[in-house]
């Protein structure tokens, strides 16, 4: 593979000496669960986001689960989720016996469509989980207004967007809770599983801290039924080594995205999505159309957004995605489909009432068109050129 989709060692190896020192410090202390190392990372990241509380968790998924538990989500409560996201967003809702109600997404930014979300609110709707997919914020000003109008709990899934911002502020810092993930392929990737929950609400944060540790406070006295959702000290110590570099990682991802977009837009086969939104429920779907009929549609940063580019996700319309995959494989360019099936079509949700399942037309279309290409910070200029050239060659041949 000339250009892998991901290269985790390329980021970690230059920090090997510092990481070894961090490992030895924790190893020799013998204190592996929560403790000082976790508290230091929590303080570091709370400062970074400008939130009052940051609470280390065993994974992004567990942070989301514990957020829903602390928010008091009950069986049969309805929770609005985008149909186009990683499974965990809706999986956590269902694990509590609550009902994910799938909302269509915007073809331009891949995120939950506010007007469709509002349409799907019923008397049972308790919460909404916008996801800031691929590193760009969902439409938070609109979503915060909807949550306020309908008295919904808002929990942000910022697993792919730690450090991204929208006109409303930092992703993960705007709802009752926000979560992020340290899965190794995320922008702030650990050496294993880990996650963090953010909140500005003192009462809510205290409840999360209890639930993270079996609902106990003090030890062995359980006011709540919680679980083991704790972050390891080792994981926290290793992550803390990377935090000072985080802004430069983001800047490099942004430079890589800008390189692709600049190179590719010089060719008529590439275009940006012009329509403000194509979700079928959205009033603006009658808006502008693309001028040309591009072979590949590029991702874009919306005005006044700080995009951190967890993925650079192309759309390949007209049933050409498989052909492009074959071409990229032959050229040694890594790629992946995030995500191949809209959540409203997943087998595990087929028992949900029909009003939960759609229609999510844009989500289904995206699932059939998207293809992500390498965007990690350590890509060389040569590697970026190989990717861009492979895409251009494909369009010229097809
Ligand atoms: C990665 C991810 C999660 C889950 O994070 P884990 O740490 O892997 O459990 C949740 N939501 C989204 C959108 C993600 O990308």
């Amino acid at each position: 593979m000339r250009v892998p989709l991901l290269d985790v060692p390329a980021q970690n190896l230059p920090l090997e000496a510092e990481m070894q020192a961090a490992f030895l410090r924790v190893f020799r202390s013998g204190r592996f669960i929560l403790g000082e190392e976790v508290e230091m990372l929590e303080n570091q990241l709370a400062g970074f986001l400008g939130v009052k509380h940051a609470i280390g968790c065993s994974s992004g998924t567990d942070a989301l689960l514990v957020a829903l538990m602390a928010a008091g989500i009950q069986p049969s409560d309805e929770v609005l989720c985008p149909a186009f996201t990683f499974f965990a967003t809706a999986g956590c809702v269902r694990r509590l016996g609550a009902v994910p109600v799938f909302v269509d997404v915007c073809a331009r930014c891949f995120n939950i469509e506010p007007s469709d979300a509002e349409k799907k609110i019923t008397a049972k709707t308790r919460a909404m989980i916008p996801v800031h997919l691929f590193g760009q914020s969902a439409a938070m000003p609109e979503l915060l207004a909807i949550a306020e109008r309908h008295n919904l709990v808002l929990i942000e899934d910022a697993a792919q967007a730690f450090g991204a911002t929208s006109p409303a502020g930092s992703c993960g810092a705007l709802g009752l809770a926000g979560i992020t993930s340290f899965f190794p392929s995320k922008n702030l990737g650990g050496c294993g599983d880990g996650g963090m929950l953010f909140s500005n609400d003192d009462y809510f944060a205290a409840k999360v801290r209890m639930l993270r540790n079996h609902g106990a406070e003090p030890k062995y006295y359980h006011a709540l039924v919680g679980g083991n959702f704790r972050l390891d000290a080792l994981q926290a110590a290793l992550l803390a080594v990377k935090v000072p570099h985080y802004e430069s990682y983001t800047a490099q991802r942004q430079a890589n995205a800008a390189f692709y977009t600049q190179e590719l837009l010089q060719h008529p086969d590439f275009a940006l999505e012009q329509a403000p939104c194509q979700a079928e429920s959205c009033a603006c779907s009658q808006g502008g159309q693309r001028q040309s009929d591009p072979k590949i549609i590029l991702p874009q940063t919306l005005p006044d957004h700080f995009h951190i580019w967890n993925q650079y996700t192309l759309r390949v319309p007209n049933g050409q995605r498989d052909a492009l995959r074959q071409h990229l494989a032959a050229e040694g360019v890594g790629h992946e489909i995030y995500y191949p099936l809209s959540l409203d079509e997943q087998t595990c949700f087929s028992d949900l009432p029909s009003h939960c399942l759609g229609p999510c037309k844009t989500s289904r279309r995206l699932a059939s068109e998207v293809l992500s290409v390498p965007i990690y910070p350590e890509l060389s200029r040569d590697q970026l050129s190989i990717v861009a050239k492979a895409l251009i060659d494909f369009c010229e041949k097809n």
Side-chain angles (χ1 to χ4, degrees), residues 59-61 85-86 88-89 131 133 157 159-160 181-183 186 194 339:
S59 68
T61 304
T85 174
F86 179 59
T89 313
V131 179
L133 204 67
D157 182 340
Q160 302 183 8
S181 163
F182 307 127
F183 187 82
K186 300 291 158 77
Y339 298 93

Side-chain angles (χ1 to χ4, degrees), residues 65-101:
L65 185 67
V66 81
L68 291 164
M69 290 167 75
I73 299 303
Q74 300 290 321
S76 86
D77 285 349
E78 293 184 359
V79 179
L80 302 170
C81 306
F84 190 68
T85 174
F86 179 59
F87 174 76
T89 313
C92 289
V93 172
R94 199 65 189 133
R95 283 169 68 185
L96 294 175
V99 179
V101 175

Side-chain angles (χ1 to χ4, degrees), residues 139-159:
M140 290 309 292
E142 291 83 351
L143 295 168
L144 287 162
I146 290 171
E148 175 144 6
R149 255 198 312 277
H150 299 274
N151 199 21
L152 304 181
V153 168
L154 196 147
I155 295 170
E156 299 173 77
D157 182 340

